[in-house]
Amino acid sequence: MEAFIMKASVLDTELSGDDVEFVIQQCDKVLNLDSAQARFRVQAGLILGNLLIIAKNWTIADRVFAKTIKLFTRLVTWSLSPSDQEWLLRKVSISLPSIATFAALYAAESKESPAEEVALVSLQRVETCRGMLAKLIFQSKLNVERFRAKDESAAKEYSSLLKQLTLFETAESNEQSRIGGNDNVRRANVIQRRAHIARRISELENAFGIKPEDIDVHTLKSLAGQSALVQVVMESNTAIAFLVTDTGLRSIKLEELNALDVVNTHDVLYGKCRLSKAKPLGVAKAGRDLGEILRWLWDKAVKPILLELGYYPRVRGCHSKQLPRLWWCASGLVSQLPFHAAGEGLEDGTKENVYDYAVCSYTTSFTALKMAQACTAPWDKVLNDGMLVVGMPTTPGSDFTRLKAKEESRSIKDAAGLMPTYIANPRKVDVVEKLTEHSIVHFVCHATSIAHNPSSSAIVLGEQGASAAEYLTVRELKTIGLEKPRLVYLSACSTAENSNIKLNDESIHVASALQLAGFPHVIATLWEVKDRASIPLAGLFYKDLMAAIAATGTRETNHDVVPYALHEALCEMRKSKSCRNPLCWAPFVHMGA
């Protein structure tokens, strides 16, 4: 069966006539074969759905994807280790959210359904089958609260089971106690215990009627509030933006956004010869090349979206606090495009840029945004918990440059009047402990983004003089249970980068891991950054943040103060001659509420 699936997946666009009919029949059999492994059924569904889309049989294709997605959502369960979950997703999830979304869109349009219904069905599809690893954790956190409302003893048992699974994941992430290799007996024992815990979790959920909640129009409008939520989806040579505001849902086609251009752009931004790694003599040219990319993205995608939202044209030059908010959420090929920085530079003051029209944030999914917005701690409590600065002026190992961590900490203190707790060159265990004690955490360190194994991407730590660095990985970060996190600022390279094409809809990186740990606000970077940008930006950000909190009231929750403070700081930094190169300011992003 596996050989047939692999062969069919290669040939599905090259077949014709009787061969096509044969593949359709065989894939339909596999998809509906209850005794077949779920991943083979999902792969068969993908091939079958693709062939039906090529034939423009949208209604049947949509039905096939509905069944495929139902099977797909059952693949990622607590019974599997995180590494096994990722392996499965690499095998079966490529393009599924995007393709299934387009099938639902065209099927609904063929029935002449109302525009809002068309958009809703499409958004439900993309949300259902993306971010599966994160959704498992987010959903478990929601379920704990739902159990508490029904039965306290069941809630305690459910929480205990989840903690046991966390211990397995912590053991797997530790190289010295990694499960696998030749220790087959131990591995089999762990698999059996995980399966037992997963069955009990499922039994509890079924007994108390705890099920994932569907995304409906009301939920989406509530998430957008007085702002806008934009979901961009691309497959083959078609891109569509779904727009959510408090007035409703709708979609527009981005006719001029070309798949080949997107792929080439991704390679230029995140490939081996990426612009952000330019040698000193090539930085100016790299900046100009990035400027061309940002202008292209403005013309082909961002400007048409702002025009449809009514954000463009409008009076330019107004204060940042008067601008509307806009959340970007993207799937498929476009998932790593810098929508927040699209537009032109500031050379003569007349250039158009998204910064003139909206305050941008990112979310990896609607579920992630919902969890972030659920944080209601007022700022006075957050400030009382204090701020932690984790500095790594030197990093063990020969591959890491020195960082001006003390200078950045001083910039925060001088600009914002804050008195952060500063720890230099800490061990990994010390950082994990300190994370539980502070609501605001600022990292000045190196970070790694590992494309082939994104869960091994990490914050780099270690004591001065140690023989080797310590890596606080994505796999470890997401399992840390934090009770009072509010804001984490990652002044480090590539902390929001996910360049693994096969897992781009999973958004696995350091920033998303910290969201899973509980931080509703994360300041992160899409690629490499330099001290000359990081130090002044940190000071400007915290200065603007403290001013905004003081203006709105410390007893308010007010999530908006964080993205507006970053927006204001970036606008100020872009005016500086030393930071006009977009390589300096474009990588910084806000993720969360």
Side-chain angles (χ1 to χ4, degrees), residues 27-61:
C27 285
D28 185 61
K29 286 182 180 178
V30 175
L31 175 63
N32 292 287
L33 186 62
D34 292 338
S35 60
Q37 289 185 30
R39 74 179 180 94
F40 293 137
R41 297 175 70 185
V42 169
Q43 287 174 308
L46 262 170
I47 297 167
L48 177 58
N50 269 311
L51 289 172
L52 291 168
I53 284 176
I54 292 170
K56 297 186 177 180
N57 196 334
W58 309 115
T59 302
I60 298 179

Side-chain angles (χ1 to χ4, degrees), residues 167-181 183 186-187 190 476:
L167 292 175
F168 287 133
E169 294 182 17
T170 302
E172 184 185 14
S173 66
N174 188 327
E175 289 293 335
Q176 295 182 345
S177 58
R178 185 178 295 278
I179 299 163
D183 195 355
R186 184 183 177 193
R187 179 175 175 82
V190 169
E476 292 169 309

Side-chain angles (χ1 to χ4, degrees), residues 140-168:
S140 68
K141 291 182 177 182
L142 288 171
N143 287 350
V144 169
E145 298 304 317
R146 293 165 72 186
F147 268 114
R148 283 179 181 150
K150 292 174 178 285
D151 188 289
E152 186 61 34
S153 63
K156 288 181 179 178
E157 182 183 359
Y158 190 81
S159 297
S160 175
L161 293 168
L162 293 174
K163 286 179 181 178
Q164 291 178 55
L165 291 172
T166 299
L167 292 175
F168 287 133

Side-chain angles (χ1 to χ4, degrees), residues 457-512:
S457 300
I459 293 170
V460 186
L461 304 166
E463 293 182 302
Q464 188 172 9
S467 59
E470 296 183 55
Y471 295 85
L472 185 53
T473 66
V474 166
R475 189 173 288 115
E476 292 169 309
L477 284 167
K478 70 181 184 180
T479 61
I480 299 173
L482 301 176
E483 295 183 0
K484 53 184 179 183
R486 187 60 181 272
L487 164 66
V488 59
Y489 188 125
L490 298 165
S491 189
C493 298
S494 303
T495 49
E497 177 188 331
N498 177 27
S499 53
N500 187 309
I501 299 297
K502 292 183 178 181
L503 290 171
N504 58 13
D505 284 310
E506 288 300 306
S507 300
I508 304 172
H509 41 64
V510 171
S512 63

